[in-house]
Amino acid sequence: MKPKFNAVSNIRLTLFLFSRNPKGNPRGYMLFLVVSLLITLSGLLVAYAILAKVNNISAKGTATGNSGFYGAEGALNMRVEELRDVFLSDRNPSGTSPSSLNQCLQQTSMGTGDFRCKVASFASPDKNTANIMAYSYVVPKNGGVAIQGTVPPGETFQGLNMLETRYDISSVTAKQNANPEEVIAMTEMTVKSRQIPMFQFAAFYLNDLEILPGPNMTLNGPVHTNGSLFLGANNVLAITGQVTVGRDLFNRRKNDNSTYPDGRVRIANSAGTLRNLLQGGTGSTTQTTAAMTPANVNATWGSQVQLAVEALSIPTISSLGAGGNYAQQADINFVYAPEKTGVNVPGIGTTVIPFNVTATKRDALGVGTATPLTNAQLASLRQPVLATGAAVTAGVCTPATPPILTPILTLTQTGDVLDALRRAILSQTTPVPFSAMGSALSTPLRNSMQPLLSSIPAAQQTLILASSPNQIAALAGGCFISAPIQHPNIPTIYTNGVSFINNRERSPGNNFRAMSLMQINIESLTVWNFQGRYLNDTGTGLVSANQLLFATATADAAAPANSFQRLGLAGSDTSSNGLVFHATVSAGATPNPNTNASPYGFALVGGQQLPGLAETTNNFDPTGLTFVSDQAVYMVGDYNITNWQPASVLADSLNVLSSRCINNNGQIAKASGTGCGGNAFDTTINSAFLSGTDITNSTETPGYNGGLENYPRFHENWGTLNYTGSFVSTGTPEKVTGRWSNQLYGAPTRNWSYETRFNNAKNLPPLSPRFVFLKQEGFSRKFDQ
C-alpha cells in the first residue's frame, strides 16, 4: 500500500505548487515547475510499475484459481464416467470412502474400491510454481442401495422402471506438497444414476433406426435411437409410446430419400391422440427429405417426442463373448469345440464329442461352483432321451403302441428292459438318429441289448428285439425325444449332421454360406436334467442325471396343467432373476470363429416351454430364461408359448425359422435356396431380442439394412410370424455381417407387439441389459478455500 500512498502524495504536491503565484520569480518558478513535473511523472511511472506487478500477480492468482476450479470440475466428471462404466459392466459400485477431506488430502486414509480417494496432477499456469493436484472421492447415499422407482412424467424415459442410486462426489485442488488448508478450489456434485432396462422399449437402437413397414403396423411401446430416426409406411405406422432420438427425426427412407404423404406415420401425444408426423413435425403437409423441425415437434408432442437426447451408454456385442459378464454369470455354459479329437469313454470306446458343457448351480445370491460335465455325461446329451412319467404328462411326446407280451412283464422286468435299451443307446460311439426310435431296433442296438435281457423269457426277448425303441418305451408308458444337443458330424460336417445353407451370409465368391450349427433342444435338456441317464465310470451301469444341470423347484399345483412348473421339472434358480444359458465356440476351432465371416452358430429348438417359473398364486416373482451367444443364433419354431415366462435371446445376429426347418431326425436342416422344403409354418415367439443389425449406407453394409421389420433374419417363404417382445440393437454384428439385400425369403405377415408385461420390473428376463442414464442433481463450487 505504501507505493500507492507515495504516488498520491506526489500528485497532491504538484497541485499545491501550481497554486502558487508565478509573478514573484518566474524563472525559479519554471525550473521548480519542471522539476516538480519530473518528480510527478516519476512517481506515476513507479506507481504504474507497481500496479502492473500487482495486476500480474493477481492475474496469475486468478489463472491458478481458474485452473484449480476447472481441474476440480474435471476430476468430478472423471469420477462420474467411472461410475457409469461400473454400471455398464453389470456390477454396482462398491468400496469405502475416506472419512474426511483432510484424510484424502494428506493421503492418510484413501478408502477403497470405486469410492476411494484418487489423485490427478496437471501443470500450473505459473511455470515457476508446483503442479496442481486434484483430489476426488465418492460417498454413496443410502449406503449405495439402489431404489426401485419410475421415471417421473415429463422427463426423458418417463414412466419406465428404473433402479436409482445417488452419489455425492467431492473434488478439491491444491498445489503439490501444499498444506491441507491451502486449497485452491473445491467442487461438489450430487448425481443420480438411473439404470433402465432396455427391454422396456418396443425398439432400442444404438445406431440409426428405420421403421418402414408395408402393411399396417402399431408399436405400443417406447422407441429410442442414439442416432437418427427414419419413419415411413406404405399404409399406416402408429407409435403410441414415448419417442427419444439422439439426432434427427425424418419422414423418409434413409437409403434413397423416398418421402411419404401426410398421415402415413402417426405418433401419440401425451393425451394418447395420434398426430401426423409430417404436419406435426413441419407445420406443413408437403413431403420433404428434411428433418422435422425441433420447435414444431416440441409444440406438437411435448415430452412425448424428444430430439437431441444425450447418447446413452449401452453394452456392446463384445460383452456377449466368453470373457463377458453373461458368460461369467451363466448357469450353463455351452462351448462348441469342433477341434476336439477322440476320447475313450468306458462302455463306449473311442468317440468324438465336439462340445463341452459346464453347469453352475447357484444360490439366491448367485454363488455357485462351476462343474464341467464328464465325457460320459456329454456323450449322453447327444443321444435321444427316454421320457417317462411326469415328462410324458407334460406332453413332450406321445407313447406308441407297446408290443403284446404274454405274460405281461413285471415292473422289475420292465425296468430291466428299459435300462437295457438305455445302455444300448448310450454305448454307441456315434449319435443314434432320432428317426431310428420309430423303426425296429438296428443291429448295433439289438446286439447291445440282447446280453442284458437274461431275466426275460426267450419268446419275449424275440418280440422285444423285433420292436422299435418307442414301442419298447411304451411298455412303461414312455417315449423318446430327440437329443438335447446335436452337432455336425466330424469330419464330414455337412453330410448327415446339423447343417444350414444360409443364402444371406454369403462367403466370398459364393452364393451361400454353409453354417456349422450346434443345436440345443431346451425341452430335451429339461427332461434329461430331470430323468436322463449316463454310463457310470466302468461303463456297465447307469447313473441318474437328475438335477445335474440345475436344481428343480417343488411342483407347483397352481401352475397350468401339465406344465414343467406344475410337474416339478422347472428350475428353482432365482439368482439374476432366473436361468441364464451361454453358448460360444472354442477359440481353437478352424475356421476361426472370431472373424466377421464366422461359419458357426447355435440353433435353439424345442422352446415351446421354458424351464423357468411363471407367476402363480404360489410364486409371485417369475424367473424365466435368457439365452446368450456371441455367435449367430437360429430360433426354430414356437418359443415360450406355454406357461409364459420372462425370456430373452441375446446374440451376434438373430435368425427366425419355422419348425418346417426341422427334419425327421429332429435336426435343423436347409439346403441352398428359399425355405426348407415347403412354406414356413405359422410361428409364435414371446421373447425379447438383443442382437447386432446392419447400418444403411455404411462401409460395412452398403445399401438398405431392411429396417426394424427385418430385424430378425428370414430364410423361408413365410405365412404369419406372431411376435411379442422387444427389439434391441447394440451395433453391427461382429461375427455375421451378411447384407440384407442378398437374402432369399418371402416376408411374413408381421403380427408384432411390444411385451407390455415388461413394464413390470419383476417380469423382465434374467440379466436384462440396462443402459445407464446419469442425471445431475446438485453442484456447488467455491474458490480460494
Side-chain angles (χ1 to χ4, degrees):
M1 298 300 294
K2 285 184 178 181
K4 290 183 179 180
F5 177 79
N6 290 338
V8 171
S9 298
N10 286 335
I11 294 172
R12 288 176 179 173
L13 176 61
T14 302
L15 292 174
F16 172 76
L17 290 173
F18 269 107
S19 68
R20 298 290 301 270
N21 185 355
K23 292 182 179 180
N25 188 354
R27 282 189 171 183
Y29 171 75
M30 292 300 296
L31 177 61
F32 188 81
L33 181 61
V34 171
V35 171
S36 297
L37 286 172
L38 289 173
I39 293 173
T40 300
L41 290 172
S42 177
L44 289 172
L45 289 171
V46 170
Y48 175 78
I50 293 173
L51 288 171
K53 183 175 181 181
V54 170
N55 184 66
N56 185 47
I57 293 172
S58 177
K60 287 185 177 179
T62 301
T64 300
N66 285 338
S67 296
F69 165 67
Y70 291 127
E73 187 180 42
L76 286 184
N77 292 330
M78 289 173 60
R79 297 307 291 266
V80 170
E81 288 305 312
E82 289 174 1
L83 286 176
R84 188 198 306 270
D85 291 341
V86 170
F87 283 112
L88 286 175
S89 67
D90 287 322
R91 72 175 180 87
N92 291 323
S94 61
T96 58
S97 309
S99 58
S100 70
L101 173 61
N102 281 343
Q103 287 186 330
C104 185
L105 286 168
Q106 294 175 349
Q107 305 289 282
T108 56
S109 178
M110 301 286 284
T112 63
D114 302 305
F115 306 144
R116 69 186 184 279
C117 178
K118 288 189 174 183
V119 185
S121 173
F122 55 94
S124 169
D126 180 0
K127 295 182 180 179
N128 295 321
T129 60
N131 288 344
I132 293 176
M133 310 298 292
Y135 304 81
S136 64
Y137 63 97
V138 180
V139 179
K141 289 192 172 185
N142 193 34
V145 176
I147 299 174
Q148 182 79 44
T150 303
V151 179
E155 294 191 15
T156 307
F157 313 119
Q158 61 188 13
L160 299 185
N161 287 285
M162 65 176 178
L163 289 174
E164 184 174 82
T165 314
R166 285 178 165 83
Y167 299 92
D168 286 334
I169 308 174
S170 297
S171 177
V172 297
T173 52
K175 289 186 178 180
Q176 193 169 13
N177 300 320
N179 293 324
E181 64 272 11
E182 297 177 333
V183 172
I184 300 173
M186 174 187 296
T187 57
E188 295 177 342
M189 181 188 294
T190 299
V191 295
K192 295 186 288 190
S193 170
R194 290 176 172 175
Q195 298 179 71
I196 301 177
M198 289 187 281
F199 291 150
Q200 291 183 111
F201 291 80
F204 186 106
Y205 269 54
L206 173 66
N207 302 305
D208 291 345
L209 170 57
E210 302 160 79
I211 310 177
L212 306 162
N216 290 340
M217 183 175 186
T218 298
L219 285 178
N220 59 350
V223 173
H224 172 81
T225 172
N226 271 2
S228 293
L229 179 58
F230 297 81
L231 301 176
N234 291 341
N235 289 280
V236 175
L237 167 64
I239 300 176
T240 62
Q242 186 186 47
V243 177
T244 49
V245 182
R247 295 178 184 170
D248 296 314
L249 175 60
F250 296 93
N251 189 199
R252 67 170 174 88
R253 288 178 70 105
K254 179 182 177 182
N255 63 314
D256 63 8
N257 284 333
S258 297
T259 59
Y260 297 86
D262 189 47
R264 293 284 182 86
V265 179
R266 304 170 187 173
I267 302 175
N269 61 17
S270 58
T273 303
L274 290 170
R275 302 291 300 274
N276 292 347
L277 172 61
L278 185 58
Q279 185 172 19
T282 65
S284 168
T285 59
T286 302
Q287 294 174 222
T288 178
T289 60
M292 301 296 100
T293 306
N296 290 80
V297 169
N298 184 63
T300 303
W301 289 282
S303 62
Q304 193 70 4
V305 178
Q306 298 186 18
L307 306 180
V309 172
E310 177 186 357
L312 302 175
S313 300
I314 65 176
T316 61
I317 287 291
S318 59
S319 68
L320 306 181
N325 182 61
Y326 291 101
Q328 294 173 9
Q329 296 195 49
D331 299 287
I332 305 178
N333 291 87
F334 301 90
V335 178
Y336 177 36
E339 78 280 7
K340 283 180 65 176
T341 57
V343 293
N344 188 274
V345 182
I348 299 176
T350 301
T351 183
V352 176
I353 309 173
F355 61 89
N356 295 308
V357 178
T358 300
T360 306
K361 289 191 281 188
R362 303 181 185 276
D363 60 20
L365 298 177
V367 178
T369 301
T371 304
L373 269 60
T374 66
N375 286 328
Q377 293 162 348
L378 295 176
S380 174
L381 284 172
R382 63 184 187 166
Q383 300 289 9
V385 179
L386 175 56
T388 59
V392 175
T393 302
V396 299
C397 58
T398 301
T401 301
I404 299 175
L405 302 177
T406 304
I408 298 174
L409 297 178
T410 65
L411 290 177
T412 299
Q413 290 174 321
T414 300
D416 290 342
V417 170
L418 295 183
D419 282 348
L421 179 57
R422 287 189 179 102
R423 286 173 59 186
I425 292 173
L426 293 175
S427 65
Q428 302 306 306
T429 57
T430 59
V432 177
F434 177 63
S435 58
M437 300 300 100
S439 304
L441 287 173
S442 64
T443 300
L445 292 180
R446 190 166 57 248
N447 290 343
S448 297
M449 278 191 68
Q450 192 161 8
L452 303 174
L453 299 179
S454 57
S455 63
I456 308 300
Q460 293 175 311
Q461 286 188 39
T462 300
L463 290 173
I464 290 171
L465 294 175
S467 302
S468 71
N470 270 332
Q471 288 177 308
I472 297 171
L475 293 171
C479 43
F480 279 90
I481 58 177
S482 60
I485 296 179
Q486 298 194 56
H487 55 85
N489 292 334
I490 305 297
T492 55
I493 61 175
Y494 300 120
T495 302
N496 297 310
V498 181
S499 64
F500 189 91
I501 303 302
N502 189 317
N503 288 91
R504 169 177 172 153
E505 327 303 355
R506 303 188 181 194
S507 299
N510 293 327
N511 291 325
F512 60 84
R513 183 182 300 176
M515 303 298 294
S516 177
L517 304 179
M518 175 175 158
Q519 178 174 302
I520 299 172
N521 189 312
I522 294 175
E523 180 180 77
S524 297
L525 202 71
T526 302
V527 174
W528 186 89
N529 179 68
F530 183 70
Q531 55 187 206
R533 301 288 191 275
Y534 60 91
L535 294 175
N536 64 12
D537 291 341
T538 62
T540 58
L542 299 173
V543 181
S544 172
N546 186 34
Q547 304 185 72
L548 180 65
L549 298 175
F550 54 83
T552 55
T554 302
D556 184 354
N562 302 331
S563 64
F564 290 158
Q565 188 170 346
R566 186 171 183 130
L567 298 169
L569 280 71
S572 62
D573 191 310
T574 60
S575 65
S576 303
N577 199 37
L579 291 169
V580 177
F581 295 173
H582 184 270
T584 190
V585 178
S586 168
T590 302
N592 186 349
N594 296 313
T595 69
N596 63 2
S598 171
Y600 305 105
F602 293 89
L604 204 55
V605 306
Q608 296 90 339
Q609 182 178 180
L610 305 182
L613 302 174
E615 182 177 9
T616 69
T617 55
N618 295 328
N619 179 63
F620 299 102
D621 190 5
T623 58
L625 173 67
T626 290
F627 185 88
V628 185
S629 178
D630 59 348
Q631 299 287 331
V633 168
Y634 293 74
M635 296 186 69
V636 188
D638 293 335
Y639 195 83
N640 193 24
I641 62 171
T642 300
N643 199 28
W644 183 94
Q645 302 159 36
S648 64
V649 176
L650 287 60
D652 180 75
S653 62
L654 196 138
N655 302 260
V656 169
L657 303 164
S658 77
S659 56
R660 172 74 75 176
C661 292
I662 297 295
N663 63 20
N664 61 356
N665 279 321
Q667 298 172 326
I668 182 175
K670 176 184 173 295
S672 183
T674 304
C676 301
N679 292 335
F681 297 131
D682 290 350
T683 301
T684 299
I685 296 175
N686 297 314
S687 173
F689 287 162
L690 181 150
S691 78
T693 55
D694 301 331
I695 304 174
T696 294
N697 294 345
S698 66
T699 55
E700 296 91 347
T701 52
Y704 181 46
N705 80 340
L708 177 70
E709 58 273 19
N710 287 291
Y711 177 111
R713 298 185 173 188
F714 298 116
H715 306 269
E716 302 175 79
N717 285 319
W718 276 90
T720 299
L721 174 61
N722 303 298
Y723 173 80
T724 306
S726 169
F727 294 107
V728 175
S729 169
T730 57
T732 56
E734 295 182 357
K735 308 296 174 60
V736 185
T737 56
R739 291 180 56 190
W740 177 79
S741 60
N742 286 342
Q743 78 293 334
L744 295 174
Y745 79 103
T749 297
R750 299 176 178 90
N751 183 16
W752 293 1
S753 179
Y754 166 67
E755 179 55 82
T756 56
R757 282 179 279 202
F758 290 162
N759 290 334
N760 187 332
K762 72 178 184 180
N763 287 328
L764 288 167
L767 283 185
S768 284
R770 301 172 183 266
F771 67 85
V772 182
F773 185 66
L774 295 180
K775 184 177 179 65
Q776 182 176 313
E777 190 174 42
F779 178 79
S780 63
R781 61 184 181 180
K782 297 179 181 179
F783 289 96
D784 302 321
Q785 298 297 306

